[in-house]
Amino acid sequence: MAESWATLGIDLHLEPTGAGGLRRGLTDALRDAVRTGRLAPGTRLPSSRTLATDLGIARNTVADAYADLVAEGWLTARQGSGTRVATGIPATVGEAAPAPRRRVRGRPTHNLTPGTPDLAAFPRTEWLKAARRALTAAPNDALGYGDPRGRPELRTALAGYLARSRGVRADPGNIVVCAGFAHGLQILAKVLRARGARTVAVESYGLSVHWNLLTDAGLAIPPLPYDERATDTRAIPDAGAVLLTPAHQFPMGTALHPDRRAAVVDWARRTGGLVLEDDYDGEFRYDRQPVGALQGLDPDHVVYLGTASKSLAPGLRLGWMVLPPSLVEECAAAKGNSDGCGVLDQLTLAEFLTSGAYDRQVRSARLRYRHRRDALVAALTARAPEVHVTGIAAGLHAVLRLPPGTERSVVQAAAWQGLALHGLATYRHGHADTDPLDALVVGYGTPPDHAWTAALEALCRVLP
Amino acid sequence: MAESWATLGIDLHLEPTGAGGLRRGLTDALRDAVRTGRLAPGTRLPSSRTLATDLGIARNTVADAYADLVAEGWLTARQGSGTRVATGIPATVGEAAPAPRRRVRGRPTHNLTPGTPDLAAFPRTEWLKAARRALTAAPNDALGYGDPRGRPELRTALAGYLARSRGVRADPGNIVVCAGFAHGLQILAKVLRARGARTVAVESYGLSVHWNLLTDAGLAIPPLPYDERATDTRAIPDAGAVLLTPAHQFPMGTALHPDRRAAVVDWARRTGGLVLEDDYDGEFRYDRQPVGALQGLDPDHVVYLGTASKSLAPGLRLGWMVLPPSLVEECAAAKGNSDGCGVLDQLTLAEFLTSGAYDRQVRSARLRYRHRRDALVAALTARAPEVHVTGIAAGLHAVLRLPPGTERSVVQAAAWQGLALHGLATYRHGHADTDPLDALVVGYGTPPDHAWTAALEALCRVLP
């Protein structure tokens, strides 16, 4: 009769050794479980009857073992509360150790590094409401192994939203949901390499973590020149693809000039090359409507990549690719079912988009970030007139041009004052032709509201 | 004054061409957006005032363009309801197309393929409650880019649970959360290959999708013999690692014999090799306590891999690895932040584990599956005495031994009757030494409760 094992109480795995008799074996096994922390202090043990049935031994043997351990102080027994693991025993198993590979020299007091939105503004209540609606409405099949492209509800919602808000020409069948931009780039790198591509041209400024994903896949990453019209796409080398941030160059903050937009589409058509459009913060433009997605010009040669990391939170690990039809099957196969993209968050985001909650969140964030940007510009005008601010028409960060030769010392001074800050050098391609500029990349979206004023103050203090 | 763009209504991206005047350009752009489906039927457009401000043009121009399109039938205007996209216009953008690469010949009526639990039993209400508690309690930082090992809350909860229920020796610092078993295996294959391993021995029966992940990483996968004591681990070839399902061989359903457990640990210690323990359904043992995890015998040489795919749902995309300390850093780096594992589901699972909801779910599922197993055995005894059932002590599937030479015809007959069923041949390693056996692998966990009896009936009809 194994009813108790199968259905009652908590699961407790024990392997009595048998050496020295059953009682002794069980006592040793329990003591060992408590000593090593496998049984945490305060855990309620099964009743002696239940455990005896589970282990197929006499109830008295269990009761005796419990009594021994109560006597030894490992367990406590109280009327009405059952037998529990005693508290106050130092466990040998610790709390989660700190992350490896990160030496934290004291957490900075202020954080103005770019790339993360204000996490305090994540719409928790709205998200939970959408999750409830989405999970309640979901068919059972949605919880199984699904289409590697992602849930159809989300792909349909994204197709509508991206067409409406970003001018993307999207069919739900050509969308592949992924775990953020980097995951999408990883999939594309694999597919491009399998197709025989050897090179993906990149911008002179960008994120090395993205470049590394390309080189890890065996692709060369020559940089394109950067000038006042943003990235020079007129002379893309013999490359299978080019990776661009057309709406808002990261980190320089400029929009790709219309001539350059035309040039890159022309290049793609002429050579059969592929444009990878990183639209990481396309929703955040402040003074006029954002420039539409490049993908709208030529959906057969441009892959549109978007993410919820800036508009909602990176922790969601949700992004999307709108693919030329000819790439869908390969990308879905390269993604497979083995990594990422839980269906519950996918269904919730679909509900968030179709209910209008996403638009509301983006608009409220846009307002908050624009106020911060205005405060940043005002503070710099007043307190650091030497510093020239650029790239402020959109996004969650600004570029602060510094007097030549001062970038490194400013970043260092900031670190000493507990202000995390990145210099432009962090984002410069190792083989970029362009002259190095001294500048800071200030992520004004990062701090929560209550910390923003103090962070801005700390920034002003370290500027020349 | 860009207030309206930034904060009001929905986002609507339009690019008036300017050719033929502003009114004409805007009319063309709107018509095009409706025609191509970018603006879905019924969508409410911004007021003419709002859109005029957004586009930086006169309000009358917008009002005129709207009026033109109402006259043409693309839009409708009603007092109090504003201007909307007319319904009844056939959009050129379709619904999500069916998944590529899958030719579905009509969905089968009954599904007894193994690998998926009863998705109707997913505890939606409990999960949503846990999600609310978890998201409410989460610090803002949790929503950012995090530790590639996964959330500390979940790793701490898993360490406690796995120690208690499966005898795993786990420190939260040595756990890496991943997007299911296959994702973990992919990470390990990458790390093993980078360490110079060329071979991972596998079992004679298993899942080709897992074997392919290993060969994709450049690893050879020689099969180990299989006999009545399960996989023969006494003669593991010169391999860097071995992949095993010790608690419940998949799909044969036997537990690895104690001698074989000892032999594989001995091999690992002697050669410095690594044992990859796939504990895919370790919680589901029916007649006595499950055999503990092999990892407990030697945490320095065994990687324990578990998953929520069988105990909760594959759609969660959540699994975990308990690693030897020497592998943690490499595996965390190989995983990186680019794929998978949204924090909300991680936090919810942590709450599910610590609140006891996970234990309750496992116990209730165990009871349900045991009843199904009993019904399966009873039905076979009565109606197909020629068929010998094995592997029924645990798990969500059973192996039905068939008379020699009949497997293929039974699977085919089942397909014709709308019953999805896998023969054992599906799971046999191409180079396995063992004689092929005729058998079915019946996943009795797969159907929802209401469909189970009919599925069992359909199975009995096709058996010899």
Side-chain angles (χ1 to χ4, degrees):
Chain A
M1 228 305 294
E3 201 67 34
S4 67
W5 159 250
T7 58
L8 301 174
I10 63 164
D11 275 6
L12 172 62
H13 182 80
L14 285 175
E15 285 183 358
T17 59
L22 270 175
R23 173 177 172 175
R24 168 83 178 278
L26 179 59
T27 311
D28 287 351
L30 278 166
R31 192 192 296 109
D32 191 54
V34 175
R35 182 168 21 209
T36 58
R38 279 184 45 216
L39 280 172
T43 303
R44 183 175 180 160
L45 296 180
S47 72
S48 55
R49 184 194 307 271
T50 304
L51 188 58
T53 314
D54 281 358
L55 298 175
I57 59 181
R59 185 181 168 188
N60 273 353
T61 310
V62 178
D64 289 347
Y66 279 8
D68 290 349
L69 292 166
V70 169
E72 292 176 23
W74 297 99
L75 304 180
T76 59
R78 270 199 203 89
Q79 194 66 34
S81 153
T83 308
R84 290 177 183 272
V85 177
T87 51
I89 303 167
T92 53
V93 174
E95 286 299 286
R101 300 154 52 77
R102 280 194 207 169
R103 319 223 179 287
V104 185
R105 288 184 288 188
R107 206 185 157 92
T109 314
H110 310 290
N111 187 354
L112 290 175
T113 58
T116 306
D118 176 0
L119 300 171
F122 181 79
R124 298 186 186 211
T125 310
E126 284 294 319
W127 186 265
L128 284 167
K129 278 186 200 163
R132 178 171 298 274
R133 287 194 301 267
L135 185 51
T136 306
N140 288 327
D141 276 1
L143 301 169
Y145 296 97
D147 189 326
R149 293 177 302 176
R151 285 301 302 169
E153 294 91 336
L154 177 55
R155 290 184 285 116
T156 301
L158 282 170
Y161 173 77
L162 296 173
R164 165 165 66 75
S165 74
R166 301 292 299 122
V168 172
R169 290 199 255 164
D171 179 292
N174 298 338
I175 294 180
V176 171
V177 176
C178 48
F181 171 81
H183 185 215
L185 187 61
Q186 217 170 16
I187 293 167
L188 288 164
K190 197 168 155 188
V191 167
L192 284 166
R193 194 67 195 82
R195 282 186 166 202
R198 306 201 152 266
T199 306
V200 175
V202 300
E203 299 182 284
S204 283
Y205 296 96
L207 281 169
S208 57
V209 63
H210 296 164
W211 297 330
N212 292 343
L213 290 176
L214 296 172
T215 53
D216 282 355
L219 294 155
I221 51 159
L224 296 170
Y226 180 85
D227 60 26
E228 72 289 348
R229 298 185 154 201
T231 296
D232 193 344
T233 54
R234 290 168 304 177
I236 302 177
D238 186 17
V242 57
L243 173 62
L244 294 173
T245 47
H248 190 228
Q249 208 286 327
F250 188 85
M252 299 304 277
T254 44
L256 191 63
H257 190 276
D259 295 350
R260 303 281 169 87
R261 286 168 70 92
V264 69
V265 169
D266 185 52
W267 163 84
R269 287 179 182 159
R270 208 174 57 239
T271 65
L274 200 65
V275 184
L276 313 182
E277 176 177 26
D278 177 3
D279 195 43
Y280 62 104
D281 64 359
E283 287 111 336
F284 294 104
R285 178 132 192 144
Y286 304 118
D287 303 316
R288 58 174 184 84
Q289 229 185 268
V291 60
L294 190 66
Q295 190 265 6
L297 296 182
D298 193 341
D300 288 329
H301 291 97
V302 182
V303 177
Y304 175 90
L305 293 123
T307 176
S309 294
K310 310 295 180 261
S311 53
L312 287 166
L316 289 179
R317 306 310 313 129
L318 277 176
W320 42 86
M321 303 191 272
V322 184
L323 295 158
S326 60
L327 272 175
V328 174
E329 194 160 325
E330 280 158 272
C331 285
K335 182 191 171 210
N337 267 318
S338 63
D339 49 9
C341 306
V343 292
L344 303 189
D345 285 339
Q346 289 188 59
L347 294 170
T348 304
L349 180 57
E351 170 66 25
F352 219 69
L353 284 161
T354 49
S355 70
Y358 190 86
D359 281 82
R360 284 195 297 278
Q361 170 68 12
V362 165
R363 290 196 163 238
S364 116
R366 201 184 275 147
L367 192 63
R368 181 181 320 105
Y369 294 137
R370 193 175 62 180
H371 285 153
R372 290 196 190 178
R373 179 203 64 169
D374 294 346
L376 172 69
V377 172
L380 293 175
T381 309
R383 301 187 47 189
E386 302 285 298
V387 172
H388 179 55
V389 202
T390 63
I392 55 170
L396 313 182
H397 70 274
V399 174
L400 276 54
R401 293 284 296 277
L402 300 173
T406 61
E407 176 180 318
R408 216 171 141 193
S409 60
V410 170
V411 172
Q412 251 165 12
W416 285 113
Q417 302 220 12
L419 169 62
L421 202 58
H422 285 175
L424 183 57
T426 310
Y427 301 98
R428 190 164 185 275
H429 192 292
H431 297 109
D433 257 349
T434 20
D435 288 332
L437 296 169
D438 281 77
L440 301 173
V441 182
V442 172
Y444 53 81
T446 308
D449 273 342
H450 67 83
W452 159 243
T453 312
L456 179 55
E457 176 61 28
L459 173 67
C460 288
R461 275 200 303 271
V462 299
L463 289 177
Chain B
M1 222 305 292
E3 202 66 34
S4 67
W5 160 250
T7 57
L8 301 175
I10 64 164
D11 275 6
L12 172 61
H13 181 79
L14 286 175
E15 285 183 359
T17 58
L22 269 177
R23 174 177 172 175
R24 168 82 179 280
L26 179 59
T27 311
D28 288 350
L30 278 166
R31 192 191 296 109
D32 191 53
V34 175
R35 183 167 20 208
T36 58
R38 280 184 44 217
L39 281 172
T43 303
R44 183 176 179 156
L45 296 180
S47 72
S48 55
R49 185 194 306 271
T50 305
L51 187 57
T53 315
D54 281 356
L55 298 174
I57 59 181
R59 184 180 170 188
N60 275 352
T61 311
V62 177
D64 290 347
Y66 279 8
D68 290 349
L69 292 166
V70 169
E72 292 177 23
W74 297 100
L75 305 180
T76 59
R78 275 204 197 84
Q79 195 66 33
S81 153
T83 307
R84 291 178 183 271
V85 177
T87 50
I89 303 167
T92 54
V93 174
E95 286 298 287
R101 299 158 52 79
R102 280 197 204 166
R103 316 217 183 292
V104 186
R105 289 184 285 187
R107 203 183 159 96
T109 314
H110 309 290
N111 188 354
L112 290 175
T113 59
T116 306
D118 176 0
L119 300 171
F122 182 79
R124 299 187 187 210
T125 309
E126 284 295 319
W127 187 264
L128 284 166
K129 278 186 201 164
R132 177 171 300 275
R133 287 194 301 267
L135 186 51
T136 306
N140 288 329
D141 277 1
L143 301 169
Y145 295 97
D147 189 325
R149 293 177 302 176
R151 286 299 303 168
E153 295 91 336
L154 177 55
R155 290 184 285 116
T156 302
L158 281 171
Y161 173 76
L162 295 173
R164 167 165 65 76
S165 74
R166 301 291 301 122
V168 171
R169 289 199 255 165
D171 180 293
N174 297 339
I175 293 180
V176 170
V177 176
C178 48
F181 171 81
H183 185 216
L185 187 61
Q186 217 169 17
I187 292 166
L188 288 164
K190 198 168 155 187
V191 167
L192 283 167
R193 194 68 195 82
R195 282 186 164 201
R198 306 201 151 266
T199 306
V200 174
V202 301
E203 298 182 283
S204 283
Y205 295 96
L207 281 170
S208 57
V209 63
H210 296 164
W211 296 331
N212 292 343
L213 290 174
L214 296 172
T215 52
D216 283 355
L219 294 156
I221 51 159
L224 297 170
Y226 180 86
D227 60 25
E228 72 289 349
R229 296 185 155 201
T231 296
D232 193 343
T233 55
R234 290 168 303 177
I236 302 176
D238 187 15
V242 58
L243 173 62
L244 294 174
T245 47
H248 190 227
Q249 207 287 327
F250 188 86
M252 299 304 277
T254 44
L256 192 62
H257 190 276
D259 295 350
R260 302 280 169 85
R261 287 168 70 94
V264 69
V265 169
D266 185 53
W267 162 83
R269 288 182 181 156
R270 207 175 56 238
T271 65
L274 200 65
V275 184
L276 313 182
E277 176 178 24
D278 177 3
D279 195 43
Y280 62 104
D281 65 358
E283 287 112 338
F284 294 104
R285 178 132 193 143
Y286 303 119
D287 303 315
R288 58 176 184 81
Q289 231 185 267
V291 59
L294 190 66
Q295 190 264 8
L297 295 181
D298 192 340
D300 288 330
H301 291 96
V302 182
V303 177
Y304 175 90
L305 294 122
T307 176
S309 294
K310 309 294 180 266
S311 53
L312 287 165
L316 290 179
R317 307 307 316 129
L318 278 176
W320 41 87
M321 303 191 272
V322 184
L323 295 159
S326 61
L327 271 176
V328 175
E329 195 160 324
E330 280 158 89
C331 285
K335 183 191 170 209
N337 267 318
S338 63
D339 49 9
C341 306
V343 291
L344 303 189
D345 284 339
Q346 288 188 59
L347 294 170
T348 304
L349 180 57
E351 170 66 25
F352 220 68
L353 284 162
T354 49
S355 71
Y358 190 86
D359 281 85
R360 283 195 297 277
Q361 171 68 12
V362 165
R363 289 194 164 239
S364 115
R366 202 184 275 146
L367 192 61
R368 181 181 319 105
Y369 294 137
R370 193 175 60 179
H371 285 154
R372 290 195 189 178
R373 179 203 63 169
D374 294 346
L376 172 69
V377 173
L380 294 176
T381 308
R383 299 185 49 188
E386 302 285 297
V387 171
H388 180 54
V389 202
T390 62
I392 54 170
L396 313 182
H397 70 272
V399 174
L400 276 54
R401 292 283 296 279
L402 300 173
T406 60
E407 176 180 318
R408 218 173 139 190
S409 59
V410 169
V411 172
Q412 252 164 11
W416 285 114
Q417 303 220 12
L419 168 63
L421 202 57
H422 285 176
L424 182 58
T426 311
Y427 302 97
R428 191 164 185 274
H429 192 293
H431 298 110
D433 257 348
T434 19
D435 288 331
L437 297 169
D438 281 78
L440 300 174
V441 182
V442 172
Y444 53 81
T446 308
D449 272 342
H450 67 82
W452 158 243
T453 311
L456 179 56
E457 176 63 27
L459 173 67
C460 288
R461 274 199 303 270
V462 300
L463 289 176

